[in-house]
Amino acid sequence: AYAAMSMCAPFRAELYTGLYPVRSGVARNHTGAKAGTKSVCHHLRDLNYRVGIAGKTHASPKTVFPFDRVGGRDLAGDSVRQYMTKDPRQPFCLLCCSNNAHPPWRSGDASKIDSDKVKLPPVIHDNPPTRKTFIGYLAEVIELDREVGEILKLLKDTGQINNTLVMFSSEQGWDFAFGKWTNWDIGLRSALIARWPGRIKAGSVSDALIQIADITPMFIEAAGGDPTAAKLDGVSFL
């Protein structure tokens, strides 16, 4: 899966709108989308979905991204549970956006990682400062994994684990080796995992190319809508 730009705000705008940065207007960090732009909020609400967001938003203005705000930083707390179970007759789309792993990498427990056993990737020079920083990053990856597990458990506890499409994305490239700021593979390539019982075979792998802008039109089609009518840059890969 590939993003159009290796920056947070453009990545999220591309994900939420199905548009490339030049069309949404979010082509730099901390910038807002063009007035009148539609997002996944509008497209799915037209199909009778509730569309909420928990955790980090980093998307503006509110008219373009009118998410239901769900709780604070806790991605699997009581407010998230309440949103999932608010109305069994109305389906929901909920984006749980973690701050992990993001500099300065302080939220995880680095003391649980054996520094001597960590092998640094070849793009990072192995010296004491970079090794310490990388271990802090790994601690946040572990914390992110825990958050994902909590969300899946919440879906299981509320009886929705088998009829919910769950997708995980790692956003754009990491900060090491200037990955976040370059249009090299290390900056634009994103992890993408999907879980959908009855529709996706567990453990299967696809080598198909996916653009982050393709996700909103895929959501539209999965919800029973016509993504081509929205005239987005992305193409559904349902």
Side-chain angles (χ1 to χ4, degrees):
Y2 284 86
M5 289 185 68
S6 55
M7 282 187 273
C8 299
F11 177 97
R12 291 170 190 269
E14 181 184 354
L15 172 65
Y16 301 155
T17 64
L19 301 174
Y20 294 139
V22 70
R23 284 193 64 202
S24 72
V26 186
R28 290 182 293 120
N29 245 357
H30 315 300
T31 55
K34 296 175 184 176
T37 303
K38 288 188 175 182
S39 69
V40 65
C41 304
H42 304 93
H43 298 306
L44 291 190
R45 283 177 181 172
D46 288 346
L47 298 169
N48 196 38
Y49 272 69
R50 287 181 286 118
V51 185
I53 192 166
K56 185 177 180 178
T57 52
H58 207 186
S60 64
K62 181 74 173 177
T63 53
V64 175
F65 305 102
F67 290 105
D68 297 331
R69 193 73 179 98
V70 183
R73 295 174 66 91
D74 191 344
L75 304 185
D78 290 339
S79 57
V80 173
R81 175 189 289 269
Q82 290 169 8
Y83 194 79
M84 289 179 174
T85 59
K86 182 179 179 180
D87 185 353
R89 297 166 299 178
Q90 185 183 29
F92 67 87
C93 172
L94 178 61
L95 292 105
C96 298
C97 305
S98 177
N99 280 293
N100 296 318
H102 195 288
W105 299 303
R106 292 173 181 166
S107 71
D109 186 356
S111 66
K112 294 182 179 180
I113 299 174
D114 187 342
S115 175
D116 294 333
K117 293 183 178 179
V118 171
K119 183 178 180 181
L120 271 65
V123 294
I124 302 174
H125 186 269
D126 193 348
N127 56 59
T130 56
R131 176 166 287 269
K132 180 180 179 181
T133 303
F134 190 69
I135 289 171
Y137 161 77
L138 293 180
E140 287 209 358
V141 171
I142 294 171
E143 181 67 11
L144 173 61
D145 189 63
R146 182 193 64 77
E147 291 174 327
V148 173
E150 284 190 350
I151 293 166
L152 291 173
K153 183 177 184 301
L154 194 53
L155 285 169
K156 183 178 180 180
D157 291 347
T158 57
Q160 301 181 89
I161 190 69
N162 290 324
N163 69 341
T164 302
L165 164 61
V166 178
M167 295 189 73
F168 172 88
S169 169
S170 65
E171 210 188 63
Q172 84 300 320
W174 60 0
D175 267 33
F176 295 101
F178 301 101
K180 184 174 179 178
W181 305 105
T182 73
N183 286 333
W184 294 342
D185 194 71
I186 195 175
L188 296 177
R189 191 171 183 178
S190 175
L192 191 65
I193 303 171
R195 181 190 189 278
W196 198 1
R199 295 295 298 269
I200 301 174
K201 183 181 178 181
S204 59
V205 179
S206 173
D207 61 359
L209 287 173
I210 295 173
Q211 181 76 27
I212 295 302
D214 296 338
I215 294 176
T216 282
M218 191 278 295
F219 282 168
I220 294 172
E221 187 176 3
D226 178 9
T228 61
K231 297 180 180 178
L232 306 176
D233 293 324
V235 177
S236 172
F237 55 95
L238 186 65

